[in-house]
């Protein structure tokens, strides 16, 4: 069973992008799946360009859901003119089915192992079967910033597949120019890692200071586990591209 809600975002500011919020959940014995999307209501112009890119991102993420070998679990929606609800219904239905099938396969494998283990008593076998964990997958694509020049959407997922703990992944912050709708991908020159070290050190120290920790360089390297087994003290760039602030964006323009 699942719930569905769709609400148009009302805004008095004509410079912001109106989005439609859609959320669905599905829970079975084997898995729980939730999806929360905020997609632009417009399908034409700059907002339509942004919406199309967001739909492509969602399609890639969910059609490959929990696919550790990169294989697609189901085909992408061929109707390019589908409205937001149709789009969400399609990917929710197919992703839920794929997740549940994988989770059931994991459950069946564990159950087979317990049932074939002759060293277990009936009570132990019953207890082990009752504690086989269900899977959990949550996906969201939500608008997190909307300014005169750009809009940012966060693509993030959480997955738990029966191990010691779950993990957070996704595409991170996705920044789009309101000039032409194109995604802005390169805010930092990744060939200048060494030149960026002072900025990275100060930024990380400031981050830890917000939690009451004032760190020296050595303490910072210890927190980051750098230089433990050698002399390498280079702080790597973030996994995700940095989403620029409005101030930096304005200066760049």
């Amino acid at each position: 069973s699942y719930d569905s809600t769709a609400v148009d975002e009302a805004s008095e500011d004509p410079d912001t992008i109106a989005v439609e919020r859609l959320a669905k959940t599905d829970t079975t014995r084997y898995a729980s799946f939730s999806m929360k999307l905020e997609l632009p209501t417009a399908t034409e112009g700059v907002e339509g360009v942004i919406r199309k890119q967001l739909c492509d991102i969602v399609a890639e993420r969910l059609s490959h859901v929990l696919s550790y070998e990169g294989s697609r679990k189901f085909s992408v929606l061929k109707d390019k003119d589908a409205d937001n609800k149709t789009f969400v219904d399609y990917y929710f239905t197919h992703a839920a089915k794929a997740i549940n099938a994988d989770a059931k396969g994991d459950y069946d494998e564990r159950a087979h192992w317990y049932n074939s283990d002759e060293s277990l008593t009936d009570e132990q076998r019953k207890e082990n079967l009752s504690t086989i964990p269900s899977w959990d997958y949550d996906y969201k694509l939500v608008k997190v910033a909307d300014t005169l020049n750009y809009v940012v959407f966060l693509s993030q997922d959480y997955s738990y597949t029966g191990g010691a703990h779950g993990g957070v992944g996704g595409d991170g912050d996705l920044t789009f120019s309101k000039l032409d709708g194109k995604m802005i991908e390169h805010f930092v020159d990744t060939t200048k890692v060494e030149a960026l070290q002072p900025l990275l050190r100060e930024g990380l120290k400031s981050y830890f200071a917000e939690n009451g920790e004032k760190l020296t360089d050595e303490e910072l390297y210890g927190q980051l586990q750098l230089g433990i087994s050698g002399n390498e003290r280079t702080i790597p760039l973030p996994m995700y591209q940095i989403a620029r602030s409005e101030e930096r964006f304005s200066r760049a323009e």
Side-chain angles (χ1 to χ4, degrees):
S1 62
Y2 60 86
D3 303 317
S4 177
T5 60
V7 180
D8 285 330
E9 180 185 83
S11 174
E12 297 180 358
D13 187 348
D15 293 322
T16 61
I17 292 180
V19 297
E20 190 172 7
R21 298 171 179 162
L22 300 105
K24 284 179 173 285
T25 60
D26 179 75
T27 302
T28 69
R29 164 63 184 85
Y30 308 104
S32 175
F33 171 45
S34 70
M35 190 167 81
K36 176 183 178 182
L37 297 187
E38 294 182 359
L39 293 172
T41 56
T43 57
E44 303 294 336
V46 170
E47 295 182 20
V49 172
I50 294 173
R51 179 186 179 276
K52 181 182 183 305
Q53 292 173 86
L54 291 173
C55 287
D56 288 344
I57 288 166
V58 173
E60 283 300 300
R61 175 65 52 180
L62 293 182
S63 66
H64 289 90
V65 64
L66 299 178
S67 178
Y68 301 109
E69 297 180 356
S71 59
R72 199 183 295 277
K73 296 294 184 67
F74 55 89
S75 61
V76 299
L77 179 63
K78 291 182 173 56
D79 183 2
K80 301 299 182 182
D81 297 321
D83 59 28
N84 288 340
K85 187 176 185 303
T86 300
F87 177 86
V88 169
D89 284 346
Y90 178 86
Y91 283 100
F92 178 81
T93 299
H94 286 77
K97 184 182 296 184
I99 293 166
N100 194 63
D102 285 349
K104 183 179 184 304
D106 177 65
Y107 176 91
D108 290 345
E109 184 177 343
R110 295 183 191 227
H112 174 75
W113 189 86
Y114 288 135
N115 286 324
S116 61
D117 186 352
E118 297 181 356
S119 69
L120 297 175
T121 65
D122 289 343
E123 190 63 30
Q124 289 173 326
R125 184 174 293 106
K126 182 179 179 181
E127 173 66 20
N128 287 341
L129 289 171
S130 69
T131 57
I132 295 177
S134 61
W135 286 18
D136 188 16
Y137 184 78
D138 303 307
Y139 177 72
K140 66 179 179 181
L141 179 86
V142 294
K143 187 171 70 170
V144 293
D146 195 343
T147 75
L148 182 63
N149 295 314
Y150 69 92
V151 61
V152 182
F153 287 82
L154 171 65
S155 168
Q156 187 177 83
D157 60 18
Y158 168 82
S159 61
Y160 173 72
T161 55
H165 55 77
V168 176
D171 304 286
D173 288 314
L174 307 167
T175 303
F176 299 89
S177 167
K178 285 190 173 179
L179 179 64
D180 54 15
K182 291 181 179 180
M183 187 187 303
I184 304 169
E185 300 184 76
H186 303 292
F187 300 116
V188 176
D189 187 345
T190 57
T191 67
K192 306 294 185 181
V193 177
E194 290 303 323
L196 287 167
Q197 290 303 299
L199 182 61
L200 291 172
R201 282 196 298 271
E202 291 309 309
L204 286 166
K205 285 181 183 178
S206 175
Y207 169 79
F208 285 115
E210 291 178 2
N211 296 323
E213 297 182 71
K214 295 184 179 180
L215 305 178
T216 65
D217 285 356
E218 291 299 317
E219 290 170 335
L220 175 63
Y221 294 137
Q223 286 274 30
L224 301 175
Q225 298 186 358
L226 296 175
I228 292 178
S229 59
N231 296 321
E232 181 58 58
R233 296 295 181 88
T234 300
I235 300 172
L237 294 178
M239 179 183 296
Y240 295 133
Q241 283 287 339
I242 300 169
R244 71 177 71 181
S245 68
E246 183 174 4
E247 178 185 1
R248 290 177 181 171
F249 193 97
S250 299
R251 285 208 302 266
E253 293 298 308

